[in-house]
Amino acid sequence: MQDVPLSEHQVPEPWTGHLDRARLIFVSSNPSIDPREAYPSWGDDIAGSVRYFTDRFDGGHGQIRDGIYSPLPEGGWSGAVRFWAAVRQRAFELIPGATPGVDYALTEVVHCKSTNEIGVAEARHTCATKHLPTVLAAATEARVVAVIGVHAAREVSRLFDLGLDGNSRYAELDQDGSRRVFVYLDHPSSWGKKKRFAMALTHDELDRVRMALADSTLE
């Protein structure tokens, strides 16, 4: 819960990065909240907020630097955000030297921000059903979707009938003539051991993921 006037509430986070260009999409539970972050509020211009989320990884003033450092209201950047750092490493695992926001983008099954995933279990079904198919449909260049954590895995699997679980970490989905690969990774902060693509997948599955990314560069 945000204990500030509504006009100062941080808005839900629809995505981070150039959703229409990214080859790789990470889907997690919900964004964490930091009251110090320079971030759009309900009182801000909507068009400006859309630009903020699209350009957020670009590294300029008021933007995330190197994919891991959050901008601060007084200027400069925070220390490395652990989740963003983990996601960047997973992107590097598939795309060496990946550019944050261009080669990969982020979204969630629940878009409202909270600490420690508070409220996610209660909201994930409604929020994912209402928004996630639209967000992923807008990711027109994405051929690989990395689903992070149990909350995201359950909702993504339910929506697209993928059968992802602790034993089944890989699935393919054909939609409108395009094939997408889905991979389930344990959350970086969880006790799970399958946090890397190389740990979650068989050699054959990992090869298929890399082939899907390679094919996307040729289209």
Side-chain angles (χ1 to χ4, degrees), residues 1-203:
M1 181 177 180
Q2 301 183 50
D3 190 19
V4 294
L6 180 59
S7 62
E8 299 176 16
H9 273 217
Q10 294 187 5
V11 300
E13 185 174 302
W15 64 80
T16 295
H18 295 272
L19 193 65
D20 60 338
R21 296 169 60 186
R23 292 183 281 160
L24 172 61
I25 303 294
F26 290 94
V27 182
S28 57
S29 57
N30 78 315
S32 184
I33 190 166
D34 181 354
R36 302 177 304 148
E37 184 180 7
Y39 186 91
S41 65
W42 283 110
D44 292 339
D45 172 67
I46 294 177
S49 295
V50 170
R51 288 194 301 272
Y52 169 88
F53 291 113
T54 300
D55 300 340
R56 195 179 180 200
F57 267 142
D58 289 359
H61 177 73
Q63 297 171 341
I64 298 167
R65 182 166 61 87
D66 297 334
I68 60 175
Y69 302 107
S70 178
L72 298 175
E74 64 271 19
W77 288 268
S78 69
V81 176
R82 293 179 62 185
F83 180 76
W84 292 343
V87 165
R88 188 179 69 167
Q89 288 304 116
R90 300 290 65 76
F92 286 169
E93 192 180 349
L94 298 180
I95 310 171
T99 300
V102 176
D103 289 311
Y104 68 91
L106 279 61
T107 191
E108 292 86 14
V109 293
V110 175
H111 299 286
C112 292
K113 297 159 73 75
S114 69
T115 58
N116 301 319
E117 297 182 325
I118 292 174
V120 170
E122 296 82 2
R124 72 186 193 197
H125 180 89
T126 298
C127 192
T129 301
K130 186 173 182 179
H131 300 296
L132 189 60
T134 302
V135 173
L136 290 184
T140 53
E141 299 300 315
R143 293 296 174 266
V144 177
V145 179
V147 186
I148 301 179
V150 64
H151 289 299
R154 287 177 178 173
E155 291 307 320
V156 171
S157 189
R158 176 187 63 82
L159 279 170
F160 301 108
D161 193 25
L162 299 177
L164 295 173
D165 58 29
N167 296 314
S168 180
R169 300 279 178 152
Y170 177 95
E172 295 184 8
L173 178 68
D174 289 304
Q175 285 185 316
D176 301 322
S178 295
R179 178 174 61 91
R180 272 187 175 162
V181 172
F182 289 76
V183 179
Y184 170 26
L185 302 177
D186 290 329
H187 196 283
S189 64
S190 75
W191 292 102
K193 297 181 179 180
K194 296 184 177 180
K195 300 176 182 180
R196 299 172 53 233
F197 290 102
M199 296 295 293
L201 303 175
T202 66
H203 290 300

